[in-house]
Amino acid sequence: MKKIWVRVSPNKKQCRVTKMDCLPGINQPGYKVDLTALAKDNQANLQLIEVLAAHFKLNENQIFISQGATQRNKLITLTN
């Protein structure tokens, strides 16, 4: 089990995952994730799980949002 911090930017032109040394607002290393989905009706969170699954080569059921489901900064749990 691994935990990572993610900063989500919804409503972008394309999906992208970028590794960062220091995320704004939490001062922790993690990933900035651009999403095409809107941040309403849980659309961005569902797309976030899809994008992270593809990036880390995991199944979607191995990725959980542990903290920050309604915020830009999220703590994500990856299981094997």
Side-chain angles (χ1 to χ4, degrees):
M1 183 169 69
K2 180 179 178 181
K3 294 192 181 230
I4 60 170
W5 282 101
V6 171
R7 176 143 178 117
V8 176
S9 295
N11 202 22
K12 298 291 184 177
K13 290 186 178 184
Q14 66 181 27
C15 294
R16 184 180 334 180
V17 178
T18 308
K19 190 169 185 174
M20 298 187 70
D21 293 330
C22 186
L23 292 173
I26 56 171
N27 296 324
Q28 295 285 331
Y31 296 86
K32 180 178 181 285
V33 182
D34 293 337
L35 301 172
T36 58
L38 298 175
K40 67 178 201 178
D41 298 330
N42 210 29
Q43 293 174 7
N45 285 340
L46 294 174
Q47 188 178 46
L48 172 65
I49 290 171
E50 291 174 11
V51 168
L52 290 177
H55 181 77
F56 290 110
K57 297 177 178 62
L58 297 171
N59 292 323
E60 291 178 18
N61 62 0
Q62 294 177 290
I63 299 173
F64 304 96
I65 299 174
S66 302
Q67 290 178 8
T70 60
Q71 300 174 0
R72 287 187 184 265
N73 293 324
K74 303 174 188 299
L75 184 61
I76 306 294
T77 302
L78 308 174
T79 61
N80 297 34

